[in-house]
Amino acid sequence: MIHMTTIGNMLDDTASKYQEKEALVYHERGLRYTFGEFQAICNQAARGFMSLGIQKGENIAIWATNVPEWVISQFATAKMGGVLVTVNTSYRVHELEYLLRQSESTTLLLMDSYRDANYLAMIQEICPELQTCEPGALQSKRLPHLKNVIYLGDEQQPGMFLWSDLLERATWVTEEERNARQAMLSPDDVINMQYTSGTTGFPKGVMLSHVNIVNNAIKVAECQRLGLADKVCIPVPFFHCFGCVMGTLACVATGATMVPVIVFDPGVVLAVVEAERCTALYGVPTMFISELNHPSFAERDLSSLRTGIMAGSLCPIEVMKKVVDQMGIRDITIAYGQTEASPVITQTVPEDSLERKVSTVGRLHAEVEAKIIDPATGDILPPGVQGELCTRGYLVMKGYYNMPEETVKAIDHEGWLHTGDLATVDEEGYYRITGRLKDMIIRGGENIYPREVEEFLYTHPKVLDVQIIGVPDVKYGEQVLACIRVKPHETLSEDEVRDYCEGKIAHYKIPRYIQFVDEYPMTASGKIQKFKLREQALELFGQSNPNQTGTA
């Protein structure tokens, strides 16, 4: 069954049934909202956004960790028709400017900093006009669409609204006006935009509708058997579908309690699970590995845990066994998908055997079609034969924002989304992800697109040529290797390359390994053979992990 509803209506429906049930708990901050209270704060923030003159369909970017304002903004924008544009917390100046410009965002919400990245300094570098403009009246030379910047902090910043200002401005708009706006929205409207890269190397805005992500959240919840009694610990970032679809939306769809962790820290996750008696835990394999190996692990009472999702990267068998045996998450599920598919295509269920959970990515969600095709001919392949996985149904994105040519490459004329992933399916409908047509690297759940890193490193004055490939890694799944040809009569060191990257591209994209080469293996027609570079790299840096399976 496909649910034809909006995110705002879904929240209202859940809140009407379970007014006093806990909806959102921030253990670290002592913050707790019932569904009634959460609905009220989301409505207030929605009126605040409307008071800024933001219209239905305008893009509102948010750049922050899993703070309370993030999840409130997610539902508030969905109620007033703003499209939430999620910004990776690891982005630096170059990436942020590109995203804000390409998305044509009119509003940006941001926190002060994250790790070693000063968000305020970066937006002020891009928009020096903030120093002299009134809040809401930004006229940026580099970002002509951006008008409003909202600071998720307590100290007044030049040219910016505070979050408290937004909530106070809610009185400028009546609840009747907000209700009328919510009633205007269609389930097929785009309401969420997440940036992902591809073969072009330039991030693309994946446009997702209410129907896309509401229904995917419901299916994800069903596979875990989530219900009113469940409390879901969400340490995965909200800016990914893992956090804001499989996490927050799945909880609101079922009446489960959202228990976010603001920034992933294994000790904090363990403490929150114990204190709040969480029944479900999400994470990429590296997160589970960190939790299992944390000094406090043996002391923690995790007996409340029942289910959860491991996704986002390769899943080692031994890790899965420990998650089941030592953490007690007997009903853990594995999910596979991609942002363009809202995101989950296949998922295991509690009844699946451990062998199924570690060797496959489960079966198709209900209401989802898939086929394995020969990439060269497009012919459908029989069970057990490797080919490209394609999917069709409610879950396929509306397209890439302002990139019609890229959209046509991804979604064919029959509505099939071509994932670019190689897979097989067995006679019982279980899928295995066996490789990638494209050379995407998945490091600890983060997608890294070689062309994007290559384009950046080409800007180094000493780099003649560069090829980025993935090398297997036990902890992170894959690491980035840069094979660099240096310009004649120049010398370049590994430290120089990494120093050049620091502060300019996200930390997880900075090459872990650097190899200086005189030439690349080439085909007769002059194309670089990346697979040969990868084989050479395996001998030098990698260690194969045969007992792994790909996940979302």
Side-chain angles (χ1 to χ4, degrees):
M1 175 183 172
I2 304 298
H3 298 263
M4 298 302 294
T5 189
T6 64
I7 293 169
N9 289 346
M10 182 178 73
L11 172 58
D12 291 345
D13 183 55
T14 300
S16 70
K17 296 176 187 171
Y18 314 117
Q19 278 280 314
E20 302 305 317
K21 166 83 167 50
E22 261 187 348
L24 180 65
V25 173
Y26 274 88
H27 180 79
E28 298 160 88
R29 296 197 178 178
L31 179 68
R32 315 181 89 87
Y33 286 124
T34 64
F35 273 105
E37 293 165 339
F38 183 64
Q39 178 191 35
I41 190 74
C42 292
N43 286 344
Q44 183 181 356
R47 297 197 305 274
F49 285 122
M50 290 174 66
S51 78
L52 299 177
I54 300 172
Q55 300 300 309
K56 172 189 172 185
E58 276 191 43
N59 294 334
I60 302 171
I62 183 164
W63 195 24
T65 55
N66 291 7
V67 291
E69 295 90 344
W70 208 112
V71 66
I72 293 168
S73 294
Q74 177 185 6
F75 288 89
T77 54
K79 277 176 158 284
M80 51 71 63
V83 178
L84 192 71
V85 180
T86 65
V87 185
N88 191 310
T89 52
S90 295
Y91 270 11
R92 296 297 192 266
V93 172
H94 174 76
E95 297 149 318
L96 175 70
E97 182 178 357
Y98 170 85
L99 180 146
L100 292 175
R101 187 174 63 249
Q102 204 281 330
S103 68
E104 301 177 324
S105 291
T106 64
T107 301
L108 170 67
L109 297 96
L110 81 165
M111 62 193 301
D112 56 351
S113 62
Y114 171 61
R115 292 182 175 159
D116 60 345
N118 187 322
Y119 289 5
L120 286 173
M122 283 191 258
I123 193 62
Q124 287 161 353
E125 178 183 333
I126 298 168
C127 301
E129 299 91 347
L130 282 168
Q131 296 296 332
T132 55
C133 78
E134 289 295 314
L138 176 64
Q139 291 184 305
S140 167
K141 183 178 179 182
R142 290 162 69 172
L143 299 172
H145 290 90
L146 189 63
K147 303 300 176 200
N148 310 299
V149 180
I150 301 167
Y151 176 52
L152 306 179
D154 299 325
E155 297 178 9
Q156 196 67 55
Q157 302 295 328
M160 303 182 195
F161 294 107
L162 294 178
W163 176 257
S164 57
D165 297 333
L166 183 81
L167 295 181
E168 287 171 13
R169 290 175 61 102
T171 58
W172 297 23
V173 176
T174 67
E175 187 63 7
E176 288 73 25
E177 290 172 306
R178 188 207 56 74
N179 263 322
R181 175 73 69 87
Q182 186 173 328
M184 287 170 52
L185 307 182
S186 163
D188 284 319
D189 289 339
V190 172
I191 202 63
N192 181 283
M193 199 150 81
Q194 304 197 26
Y195 272 77
T196 184
S197 296
T199 53
T200 63
F202 297 102
K204 300 186 288 289
V206 176
M207 297 185 291
L208 300 173
S209 69
H210 296 271
V211 165
N212 285 153
I213 55 181
V214 163
N215 284 279
N216 205 260
I218 290 169
K219 309 297 182 195
V220 163
E222 286 174 351
C223 283
Q224 297 174 84
R225 315 290 187 250
L226 289 185
L228 286 176
D230 286 301
K231 301 178 81 171
V232 183
C233 182
I234 312 172
V236 292
F238 286 157
F239 67 78
H240 275 320
C241 278
F242 200 171
C244 71
V245 178
M246 300 155 73
T248 56
L249 283 185
C251 288
V252 171
T254 55
T257 304
M258 301 172 271
V259 188
V261 173
I262 294 173
V263 174
F264 175 72
D265 177 285
V268 172
V269 172
L270 294 171
V272 168
V273 168
E274 180 180 52
E276 297 296 336
R277 305 300 293 157
C278 292
T279 61
L281 177 61
Y282 287 6
V284 299
T286 51
M287 290 180 172
F288 284 102
I289 290 168
S290 297
E291 291 150 11
L292 286 161
N293 290 287
H294 192 269
S296 72
F297 178 77
E299 305 160 17
R300 295 296 183 188
D301 177 4
L302 308 178
S303 58
S304 58
L305 286 174
R306 173 186 66 81
T307 188
I309 303 174
M310 191 187 298
S313 191
L314 301 172
C315 171
I317 285 179
E318 291 308 310
V319 174
M320 176 61 79
K321 287 179 179 175
K322 288 179 180 177
V323 167
V324 173
D325 296 338
Q326 297 178 26
M327 299 184 89
I329 314 180
R330 60 190 182 280
D331 292 345
I332 188 81
T333 68
I334 295 290
Y336 158 76
Q338 57 183 210
T339 308
E340 290 89 339
S342 305
V344 179
I345 301 169
T346 69
Q347 190 172 353
T348 62
V349 294
E351 294 77 19
D352 285 327
S353 67
L354 182 64
E355 193 276 331
R356 290 283 196 199
K357 291 176 182 176
V358 296
S359 65
T360 80
V361 290
R363 292 188 281 195
L364 292 174
H365 272 182
E367 314 291 345
V368 172
E369 293 180 79
K371 61 181 180 179
I372 306 290
I373 64 167
D374 182 323
T377 66
D379 294 339
I380 297 176
L381 298 170
V385 179
Q386 176 182 271
E388 183 186 11
L389 192 154
C390 299
T391 188
R392 186 168 67 177
Y394 79 84
L395 75 173
V396 175
M397 66 171 176
K398 303 287 274 191
Y400 295 120
Y401 187 72
N402 283 348
M403 289 186 175
E405 292 179 359
E406 293 298 324
T407 300
V408 170
K409 290 178 187 175
I411 305 170
D412 67 27
H413 66 283
E414 293 183 333
W416 289 99
L417 172 68
H418 291 248
T419 67
D421 289 324
L422 295 170
T424 63
V425 60
D426 65 22
E427 297 281 0
E428 294 178 70
Y430 286 87
Y431 286 78
R432 298 171 193 257
I433 306 304
T434 55
R436 290 186 294 278
L437 283 175
K438 53 197 178 210
D439 292 315
M440 183 177 75
I441 300 164
I442 304 179
R443 179 193 179 277
E446 295 281 8
N447 292 353
I448 302 168
Y449 298 85
R451 181 70 183 274
E452 191 177 354
V453 184
E454 288 163 2
E455 293 285 358
F456 173 74
L457 286 177
Y458 278 131
T459 66
H460 192 292
K462 294 182 180 181
V463 171
L464 174 66
D465 203 354
V466 58
Q467 295 294 316
I468 298 293
I469 59 175
V471 178
D473 183 81
V474 171
K475 182 176 181 182
Y476 289 101
E478 288 180 292
Q479 290 281 13
V480 177
L481 163 65
C483 299
I484 296 173
R485 293 176 65 202
V486 181
K487 288 181 178 177
H489 313 299
E490 295 281 6
T491 57
L492 187 60
S493 70
E494 293 185 24
D495 287 343
E496 277 182 82
V497 173
R498 294 194 184 97
D499 289 345
Y500 186 75
C501 296
E502 285 290 341
K504 297 191 183 76
I505 61 174
H507 68 90
Y508 61 85
K509 298 177 185 174
I510 297 174
R512 168 69 175 82
Y513 302 111
I514 296 169
Q515 184 181 18
F516 297 103
V517 299
D518 295 324
E519 58 185 16
Y520 299 123
M522 310 281 272
T523 65
S525 61
K527 291 183 180 178
I528 296 169
Q529 295 174 303
K530 276 198 170 182
F531 74 93
K532 287 194 174 179
L533 282 176
R534 194 173 290 110
E535 288 170 359
Q536 294 168 10
L538 279 172
E539 295 178 18
L540 289 170
F541 307 109
Q543 42 188 313
S544 61
N545 297 295
N547 297 326
Q548 294 183 330
T549 179
T551 57

